[in-house]
Amino acid sequence: MAKKSTSKKETIEKEATKKAAKQGKEGDLWDKLINMDRRKATKFIIGGMIIAIIFGTIALISDSLANNAYDWEYYKLHENDLGYWRGEYGYQEFLEREKEIYAQADWMRFQEAIFENLARIGVNFGLIFVMVGFIGYSADEEMDPKKRQMSFLLAALIITVVMFSALSTGITISVG
Amino acid sequence: MIQILNISENNLIDNEMKSLKSKKNLTIFLAIGIIFLILAPIVGEMTETIRILNEKDKLVDQESEISFRDVDSYNVNIKENQKITIKFSVYAQNVTASLKIFGKGLFDSEYNKNDTFGPPNVSGRYFLISRPTWSGDPSWSGYTQTVVSCVQDDFYYIEFMGDGDLGNTIWNEPGEYVIFVYGSNSYNMSTEVFYNIEIYKDGPSAVIRKVFSSIGWVILIVAGLVILNNSIKKFRSE
């Protein structure tokens, strides 16, 4: 009986220490974010921008592939005709290749749905990094108050963009 | 104190050496991945078809027109979604050579029956003949037949998948088949029938392409994850 009670006590103590450690860690993370120095904030902004640019480029490539799928399809079909006429393969092979071209072109058009959504997640992830960086600037007491305000506004603007792009199809800016 | 400094210097050098080594390994890893991706379509194209038979000026006696026992026969096995391509031609005076394809069961049965003039009289399976002409759409120049006869000078490009019908369509029926050639020589003094035959089978190109490109992508993704992990570690340590 005595053994049981001691073991129970031990487990409760262990759990309490674990919880405290976890809370401490979480506290550390938020503290780190608020007490971030200017150098680290700049690192966050640059890192976030790089991530956003990489994923944005992926989205652009995916979009371009989907837009050019029809042109690619016509080109490959014509090339298939030429292969048959040159006697490189027979009519059955010609038909098989034709079907494969249609399937591949369909995939090129469809991949946009997958990769653009993945890229959107990546861009948002990068923008969150940038936002954290600007929050770091705004929390820096050594900085000019106007710059701090501007940084805070920029962070708010970025989170608005992230929210809009997550909830709607996206934000477009038209010039001219 | 000097000893401690020396030890820390040695540690720094060790760490730098390690990071250099890991960078070198990563570069090699990335290069292997890219090589696999480049090789996938090249090796795939090379194994698109495999030649399983190449006979030039092959001789068959004109008795082959009378008896199944005298025909030239070639056994082929067709797997699921597989196709064989045959290039059949004759370039010899007075010679008529014909090609048919039977299922192995029918061929063995006819071989045992050995009816006179069996080879030209028994119908075989349908195959597709291609005659690509630049003046027309590809669909105008592909048609099905159960026999092709090369008279003196002729060339046929044949595709066979198991069976077909009169509507210019062939389809896949996996199984054992026998391609056989029989012929005649119209010159009284000769009984020799010369013909050329090449048989190609669909190769494992699709599988090779998939395996090579999958390995390439897996290597690139793993390398990317390792680079990401290293950069996060570096970022954290700073």
Side-chain angles (χ1 to χ4, degrees):
Chain A
M1 199 61 183
K3 263 186 183 177
K4 259 190 180 179
S5 62
T6 49
S7 65
K8 252 188 181 180
K9 263 186 184 176
E10 273 175 4
T11 49
I12 290 163
E13 273 172 8
K14 270 182 186 174
E15 273 177 16
T17 48
K18 269 184 187 175
K19 229 179 181 179
K22 210 178 172 187
Q23 274 176 347
K25 267 186 185 176
E26 277 172 5
D28 279 345
L29 177 74
W30 295 114
D31 285 345
K32 267 183 189 173
L33 283 177
I34 294 164
N35 298 328
M36 194 188 290
D37 61 350
R38 207 177 296 177
R39 200 176 137 76
K40 207 160 195 177
T42 314
K43 268 186 180 178
F44 261 80
I45 290 169
I46 292 168
M49 276 180 173
I50 289 168
I51 292 170
I53 287 166
I54 289 169
F55 280 97
T57 312
I58 290 170
L60 283 175
I61 292 167
S62 165
D63 187 49
S64 166
L65 264 177
N67 288 338
N68 289 301
Y70 282 107
D71 286 342
W72 178 86
E73 190 181 315
Y74 295 141
Y75 165 67
K76 290 304 274 186
L77 286 174
H78 200 173
E79 214 179 37
N80 193 29
D81 284 353
L82 290 176
Y84 175 75
W85 283 324
R86 284 191 198 116
E88 285 167 13
Y89 40 81
Y91 185 56
Q92 183 68 23
E93 182 67 32
F94 164 81
L95 290 176
E96 283 172 24
R97 284 178 188 228
E98 194 180 56
K99 298 275 188 290
E100 276 167 19
I101 290 165
Y102 285 134
Q104 215 165 324
D106 282 342
W107 162 247
M108 281 167 78
R109 283 185 282 270
F110 175 67
Q111 55 78 31
E112 196 182 9
I114 299 167
F115 290 106
E116 213 171 67
N117 281 320
L118 283 175
R120 194 175 286 177
I121 293 168
V123 170
N124 284 357
F125 191 69
L127 285 178
I128 286 168
F129 265 81
V130 177
M131 185 199 74
V132 168
F134 277 119
I135 285 175
Y137 275 168
S138 68
D140 188 358
E141 285 170 5
E142 288 169 14
M143 223 175 177
D144 179 41
K146 273 189 179 175
K147 278 183 185 170
R148 283 178 66 189
Q149 273 179 0
M150 188 61 90
S151 299
F152 192 74
L153 277 173
L154 278 171
L157 185 74
I158 288 164
I159 197 65
T160 316
V161 169
V162 171
M163 277 164 67
F164 265 103
S165 59
L167 299 172
S168 64
T169 49
I171 296 167
T172 51
I173 300 164
S174 54
V175 182
Chain B
M1 191 67 179
I2 292 162
Q3 261 187 341
I4 292 165
L5 273 171
N6 277 337
I7 289 164
S8 63
E9 264 181 21
N10 283 338
N11 280 342
L12 267 171
I13 291 164
D14 276 354
N15 283 338
E16 267 186 28
M17 286 292 277
K18 268 183 189 173
S19 72
L20 272 173
K21 257 190 179 178
S22 68
K23 263 185 188 174
K24 204 181 170 186
N25 288 342
L26 259 176
T27 316
I28 292 166
F29 210 52
L30 276 170
I32 291 169
I34 290 163
I35 286 168
F36 264 98
L37 281 179
I38 292 167
L39 279 179
I42 296 168
V43 180
E45 195 68 35
M46 280 163 74
T47 52
E48 193 85 49
T49 51
I50 298 165
R51 190 160 69 184
I52 53 172
L53 182 86
N54 182 22
E55 297 277 10
K56 281 199 171 144
D57 291 325
K58 183 88 197 318
L59 175 68
V60 64
D61 196 86
Q62 71 171 2
E63 279 296 308
S64 60
E65 204 178 27
I66 298 161
S67 166
F68 263 105
R69 303 265 163 107
D70 294 311
V71 299
D72 267 1
S73 62
Y74 308 98
N75 287 311
V76 285
N77 174 273
I78 290 178
K79 290 184 186 125
E80 206 173 308
N81 202 27
Q82 201 175 35
K83 176 176 84 247
I84 57 163
T85 305
I86 307 160
K87 290 177 183 173
F88 180 60
S89 61
V90 165
Y91 301 105
Q93 58 179 346
N94 308 317
V95 164
T96 301
S98 302
L99 181 144
K100 280 187 181 180
I101 304 174
F102 280 10
K104 200 173 182 317
L106 178 66
F107 184 82
D108 288 346
S109 148
E110 292 298 329
Y111 187 87
N112 290 327
K113 272 198 279 181
N114 199 22
D115 290 340
T116 314
F117 284 105
N121 289 333
V122 183
S123 297
R125 301 255 174 167
Y126 278 98
F127 44 76
L128 189 80
I129 295 162
S130 299
R131 278 184 173 162
T133 44
W134 286 85
S135 55
D137 190 88
S139 62
W140 303 348
S141 51
Y143 51 93
T144 46
Q145 275 182 208
T146 56
V147 59
V148 284
S149 294
C150 294
V151 185
Q152 209 155 258
D153 298 300
D154 254 328
F155 173 86
Y156 284 101
Y157 191 101
I158 298 161
E159 284 166 293
F160 178 70
M161 292 178 86
D163 210 356
D165 62 18
L166 267 173
N168 300 342
T169 308
I170 55 166
W171 54 80
N172 180 240
E173 276 182 28
E176 298 283 335
Y177 296 92
V178 180
I179 300 163
F180 67 91
V181 178
Y182 60 91
S184 62
N185 194 320
S186 61
Y187 184 52
N188 287 335
M189 304 294 284
S190 174
T191 61
E192 289 171 337
V193 176
F194 290 101
Y195 66 93
N196 310 305
I197 188 167
E198 277 178 64
I199 303 176
Y200 297 84
K201 230 179 187 181
D202 276 355
S205 76
V207 179
I208 286 174
R209 244 177 236 175
K210 249 183 204 171
V211 168
F212 269 67
S213 58
S214 303
I215 291 171
W217 280 117
V218 165
I219 288 173
L220 284 188
I221 288 165
V222 168
L225 287 174
V226 170
I227 290 167
L228 199 73
N229 187 38
N230 286 351
S231 54
I232 287 168
K233 265 185 188 171
K234 216 177 168 187
F235 187 74
R236 272 186 182 163
S237 66
E238 280 171 8

PDB file of all heavy atoms in Angstrom, chain B residues 71-89:
ATOM      1  N   VAL B  71       6.836 -25.745 -92.518  1.00  0.00           N
ATOM      2  CA  VAL B  71       6.866 -24.275 -92.382  1.00  0.00           C
ATOM      3  C   VAL B  71       7.969 -23.861 -91.404  1.00  0.00           C
ATOM      4  O   VAL B  71       8.421 -24.683 -90.596  1.00  0.00           O
ATOM      5  CB  VAL B  71       5.498 -23.706 -91.881  1.00  0.00           C
ATOM      6  CG1 VAL B  71       4.392 -24.016 -92.859  1.00  0.00           C
ATOM      7  CG2 VAL B  71       5.166 -24.208 -90.477  1.00  0.00           C
ATOM      8  N   ASP B  72       8.400 -22.606 -91.515  1.00  0.00           N
ATOM      9  CA  ASP B  72       9.339 -22.042 -90.530  1.00  0.00           C
ATOM     10  C   ASP B  72       8.499 -21.431 -89.415  1.00  0.00           C
ATOM     11  O   ASP B  72       7.694 -20.531 -89.684  1.00  0.00           O
ATOM     12  CB  ASP B  72      10.173 -20.918 -91.176  1.00  0.00           C
ATOM     13  CG  ASP B  72      11.468 -21.449 -91.724  1.00  0.00           C
ATOM     14  OD1 ASP B  72      11.701 -22.668 -91.626  1.00  0.00           O
ATOM     15  OD2 ASP B  72      12.249 -20.651 -92.272  1.00  0.00           O
ATOM     16  N   SER B  73       8.683 -21.909 -88.199  1.00  0.00           N
ATOM     17  CA  SER B  73       7.833 -21.377 -87.117  1.00  0.00           C
ATOM     18  C   SER B  73       8.678 -20.748 -86.012  1.00  0.00           C
ATOM     19  O   SER B  73       9.802 -21.180 -85.744  1.00  0.00           O
ATOM     20  CB  SER B  73       6.953 -22.485 -86.551  1.00  0.00           C
ATOM     21  OG  SER B  73       7.746 -23.503 -85.992  1.00  0.00           O
ATOM     22  N   TYR B  74       8.127 -19.699 -85.412  1.00  0.00           N
ATOM     23  CA  TYR B  74       8.803 -18.985 -84.311  1.00  0.00           C
ATOM     24  C   TYR B  74       7.815 -18.823 -83.164  1.00  0.00           C
ATOM     25  O   TYR B  74       6.731 -18.250 -83.354  1.00  0.00           O
ATOM     26  CB  TYR B  74       9.271 -17.599 -84.776  1.00  0.00           C
ATOM     27  CG  TYR B  74      10.086 -17.640 -86.043  1.00  0.00           C
ATOM     28  CD1 TYR B  74       9.497 -17.365 -87.274  1.00  0.00           C
ATOM     29  CD2 TYR B  74      11.437 -17.977 -86.005  1.00  0.00           C
ATOM     30  CE1 TYR B  74      10.249 -17.414 -88.448  1.00  0.00           C
ATOM     31  CE2 TYR B  74      12.183 -18.037 -87.177  1.00  0.00           C
ATOM     32  CZ  TYR B  74      11.585 -17.760 -88.395  1.00  0.00           C
ATOM     33  OH  TYR B  74      12.312 -17.819 -89.546  1.00  0.00           O
ATOM     34  N   ASN B  75       8.172 -19.359 -82.009  1.00  0.00           N
ATOM     35  CA  ASN B  75       7.282 -19.235 -80.835  1.00  0.00           C
ATOM     36  C   ASN B  75       7.488 -17.879 -80.173  1.00  0.00           C
ATOM     37  O   ASN B  75       8.621 -17.440 -79.972  1.00  0.00           O
ATOM     38  CB  ASN B  75       7.596 -20.329 -79.817  1.00  0.00           C
ATOM     39  CG  ASN B  75       7.107 -21.686 -80.279  1.00  0.00           C
ATOM     40  OD1 ASN B  75       5.956 -21.834 -80.704  1.00  0.00           O
ATOM     41  ND2 ASN B  75       7.982 -22.663 -80.241  1.00  0.00           N
ATOM     42  N   VAL B  76       6.377 -17.226 -79.865  1.00  0.00           N
ATOM     43  CA  VAL B  76       6.482 -15.960 -79.100  1.00  0.00           C
ATOM     44  C   VAL B  76       5.492 -15.992 -77.950  1.00  0.00           C
ATOM     45  O   VAL B  76       4.432 -16.609 -78.044  1.00  0.00           O
ATOM     46  CB  VAL B  76       6.199 -14.695 -79.955  1.00  0.00           C
ATOM     47  CG1 VAL B  76       7.345 -14.369 -80.855  1.00  0.00           C
ATOM     48  CG2 VAL B  76       4.905 -14.794 -80.699  1.00  0.00           C
ATOM     49  N   ASN B  77       5.893 -15.315 -76.881  1.00  0.00           N
ATOM     50  CA  ASN B  77       5.035 -15.228 -75.705  1.00  0.00           C
ATOM     51  C   ASN B  77       4.624 -13.778 -75.522  1.00  0.00           C
ATOM     52  O   ASN B  77       5.471 -12.887 -75.511  1.00  0.00           O
ATOM     53  CB  ASN B  77       5.824 -15.725 -74.487  1.00  0.00           C
ATOM     54  CG  ASN B  77       5.062 -15.545 -73.214  1.00  0.00           C
ATOM     55  OD1 ASN B  77       5.118 -14.501 -72.584  1.00  0.00           O
ATOM     56  ND2 ASN B  77       4.322 -16.561 -72.851  1.00  0.00           N
ATOM     57  N   ILE B  78       3.319 -13.543 -75.433  1.00  0.00           N
ATOM     58  CA  ILE B  78       2.849 -12.160 -75.247  1.00  0.00           C
ATOM     59  C   ILE B  78       2.279 -12.011 -73.849  1.00  0.00           C
ATOM     60  O   ILE B  78       1.407 -12.777 -73.439  1.00  0.00           O
ATOM     61  CB  ILE B  78       1.810 -11.795 -76.331  1.00  0.00           C
ATOM     62  CG1 ILE B  78       2.520 -11.676 -77.679  1.00  0.00           C
ATOM     63  CG2 ILE B  78       1.093 -10.490 -75.995  1.00  0.00           C
ATOM     64  CD1 ILE B  78       1.633 -11.362 -78.830  1.00  0.00           C
ATOM     65  N   LYS B  79       2.811 -11.031 -73.148  1.00  0.00           N
ATOM     66  CA  LYS B  79       2.340 -10.771 -71.774  1.00  0.00           C
ATOM     67  C   LYS B  79       1.266  -9.697 -71.801  1.00  0.00           C
ATOM     68  O   LYS B  79       0.963  -9.135 -72.855  1.00  0.00           O
ATOM     69  CB  LYS B  79       3.512 -10.326 -70.908  1.00  0.00           C
ATOM     70  CG  LYS B  79       4.477 -11.442 -70.635  1.00  0.00           C
ATOM     71  CD  LYS B  79       5.572 -10.971 -69.702  1.00  0.00           C
ATOM     72  CE  LYS B  79       6.614 -12.065 -69.564  1.00  0.00           C
ATOM     73  NZ  LYS B  79       7.949 -11.637 -69.872  1.00  0.00           N
ATOM     74  N   GLU B  80       0.730  -9.410 -70.630  1.00  0.00           N
ATOM     75  CA  GLU B  80      -0.318  -8.388 -70.521  1.00  0.00           C
ATOM     76  C   GLU B  80       0.184  -7.045 -71.048  1.00  0.00           C
ATOM     77  O   GLU B  80       1.281  -6.606 -70.692  1.00  0.00           O
ATOM     78  CB  GLU B  80      -0.724  -8.246 -69.052  1.00  0.00           C
ATOM     79  CG  GLU B  80      -2.143  -7.750 -68.892  1.00  0.00           C
ATOM     80  CD  GLU B  80      -2.571  -7.777 -67.450  1.00  0.00           C
ATOM     81  OE1 GLU B  80      -2.428  -8.829 -66.811  1.00  0.00           O
ATOM     82  OE2 GLU B  80      -3.035  -6.739 -66.978  1.00  0.00           O
ATOM     83  N   ASN B  81      -0.613  -6.427 -71.903  1.00  0.00           N
ATOM     84  CA  ASN B  81      -0.304  -5.118 -72.488  1.00  0.00           C
ATOM     85  C   ASN B  81       1.019  -5.102 -73.264  1.00  0.00           C
ATOM     86  O   ASN B  81       1.678  -4.067 -73.330  1.00  0.00           O
ATOM     87  CB  ASN B  81      -0.311  -4.038 -71.400  1.00  0.00           C
ATOM     88  CG  ASN B  81      -0.536  -2.674 -71.978  1.00  0.00           C
ATOM     89  OD1 ASN B  81      -1.161  -2.540 -73.034  1.00  0.00           O
ATOM     90  ND2 ASN B  81      -0.013  -1.655 -71.344  1.00  0.00           N
ATOM     91  N   GLN B  82       1.406  -6.251 -73.788  1.00  0.00           N
ATOM     92  CA  GLN B  82       2.649  -6.312 -74.568  1.00  0.00           C
ATOM     93  C   GLN B  82       2.322  -6.458 -76.058  1.00  0.00           C
ATOM     94  O   GLN B  82       1.250  -6.962 -76.402  1.00  0.00           O
ATOM     95  CB  GLN B  82       3.490  -7.498 -74.104  1.00  0.00           C
ATOM     96  CG  GLN B  82       4.948  -7.361 -74.468  1.00  0.00           C
ATOM     97  CD  GLN B  82       5.775  -8.490 -73.903  1.00  0.00           C
ATOM     98  OE1 GLN B  82       5.329  -9.622 -73.815  1.00  0.00           O
ATOM     99  NE2 GLN B  82       6.997  -8.180 -73.523  1.00  0.00           N
ATOM    100  N   LYS B  83       3.231  -6.014 -76.851  1.00  0.00           N
ATOM    101  CA  LYS B  83       3.002  -6.021 -78.294  1.00  0.00           C
ATOM    102  C   LYS B  83       4.275  -6.523 -78.979  1.00  0.00           C
ATOM    103  O   LYS B  83       5.368  -6.264 -78.493  1.00  0.00           O
ATOM    104  CB  LYS B  83       2.708  -4.578 -78.719  1.00  0.00           C
ATOM    105  CG  LYS B  83       2.529  -4.349 -80.178  1.00  0.00           C
ATOM    106  CD  LYS B  83       2.155  -2.918 -80.439  1.00  0.00           C
ATOM    107  CE  LYS B  83       3.383  -2.037 -80.508  1.00  0.00           C
ATOM    108  NZ  LYS B  83       3.554  -1.087 -79.497  1.00  0.00           N
ATOM    109  N   ILE B  84       4.098  -7.268 -80.084  1.00  0.00           N
ATOM    110  CA  ILE B  84       5.303  -7.624 -80.848  1.00  0.00           C
ATOM    111  C   ILE B  84       5.227  -6.946 -82.214  1.00  0.00           C
ATOM    112  O   ILE B  84       4.140  -6.744 -82.758  1.00  0.00           O
ATOM    113  CB  ILE B  84       5.521  -9.148 -80.992  1.00  0.00           C
ATOM    114  CG1 ILE B  84       4.326  -9.829 -81.645  1.00  0.00           C
ATOM    115  CG2 ILE B  84       5.890  -9.801 -79.699  1.00  0.00           C
ATOM    116  CD1 ILE B  84       4.668 -11.211 -82.161  1.00  0.00           C
ATOM    117  N   THR B  85       6.383  -6.566 -82.703  1.00  0.00           N
ATOM    118  CA  THR B  85       6.481  -5.914 -84.006  1.00  0.00           C
ATOM    119  C   THR B  85       7.296  -6.816 -84.920  1.00  0.00           C
ATOM    120  O   THR B  85       8.345  -7.323 -84.512  1.00  0.00           O
ATOM    121  CB  THR B  85       7.182  -4.548 -83.846  1.00  0.00           C
ATOM    122  OG1 THR B  85       6.464  -3.793 -82.877  1.00  0.00           O
ATOM    123  CG2 THR B  85       7.232  -3.790 -85.147  1.00  0.00           C
ATOM    124  N   ILE B  86       6.784  -7.026 -86.120  1.00  0.00           N
ATOM    125  CA  ILE B  86       7.480  -7.902 -87.078  1.00  0.00           C
ATOM    126  C   ILE B  86       7.765  -7.108 -88.349  1.00  0.00           C
ATOM    127  O   ILE B  86       6.868  -6.430 -88.874  1.00  0.00           O
ATOM    128  CB  ILE B  86       6.617  -9.137 -87.436  1.00  0.00           C
ATOM    129  CG1 ILE B  86       6.163  -9.871 -86.163  1.00  0.00           C
ATOM    130  CG2 ILE B  86       7.376 -10.085 -88.350  1.00  0.00           C
ATOM    131  CD1 ILE B  86       4.959 -10.761 -86.376  1.00  0.00           C
ATOM    132  N   LYS B  87       9.011  -7.197 -88.801  1.00  0.00           N
ATOM    133  CA  LYS B  87       9.352  -6.616 -90.108  1.00  0.00           C
ATOM    134  C   LYS B  87       9.594  -7.785 -91.042  1.00  0.00           C
ATOM    135  O   LYS B  87      10.554  -8.541 -90.854  1.00  0.00           O
ATOM    136  CB  LYS B  87      10.596  -5.733 -89.991  1.00  0.00           C
ATOM    137  CG  LYS B  87      10.341  -4.450 -89.227  1.00  0.00           C
ATOM    138  CD  LYS B  87      11.606  -3.649 -89.066  1.00  0.00           C
ATOM    139  CE  LYS B  87      11.350  -2.413 -88.227  1.00  0.00           C
ATOM    140  NZ  LYS B  87      12.592  -1.701 -87.921  1.00  0.00           N
ATOM    141  N   PHE B  88       8.705  -7.960 -91.991  1.00  0.00           N
ATOM    142  CA  PHE B  88       8.735  -9.126 -92.877  1.00  0.00           C
ATOM    143  C   PHE B  88       8.922  -8.656 -94.308  1.00  0.00           C
ATOM    144  O   PHE B  88       8.166  -7.797 -94.784  1.00  0.00           O
ATOM    145  CB  PHE B  88       7.421  -9.896 -92.712  1.00  0.00           C
ATOM    146  CG  PHE B  88       7.300 -11.126 -93.558  1.00  0.00           C
ATOM    147  CD1 PHE B  88       8.212 -12.171 -93.436  1.00  0.00           C
ATOM    148  CD2 PHE B  88       6.260 -11.278 -94.461  1.00  0.00           C
ATOM    149  CE1 PHE B  88       8.092 -13.315 -94.219  1.00  0.00           C
ATOM    150  CE2 PHE B  88       6.141 -12.421 -95.239  1.00  0.00           C
ATOM    151  CZ  PHE B  88       7.055 -13.435 -95.110  1.00  0.00           C
ATOM    152  N   SER B  89       9.920  -9.238 -94.995  1.00  0.00           N
ATOM    153  CA  SER B  89      10.173  -8.773 -96.371  1.00  0.00           C
ATOM    154  C   SER B  89      10.748  -9.882 -97.254  1.00  0.00           C
ATOM    155  O   SER B  89      11.291 -10.867 -96.737  1.00  0.00           O
ATOM    156  CB  SER B  89      11.125  -7.577 -96.356  1.00  0.00           C
ATOM    157  OG  SER B  89      12.353  -7.957 -95.793  1.00  0.00           O
TER     158      SER B  89
END
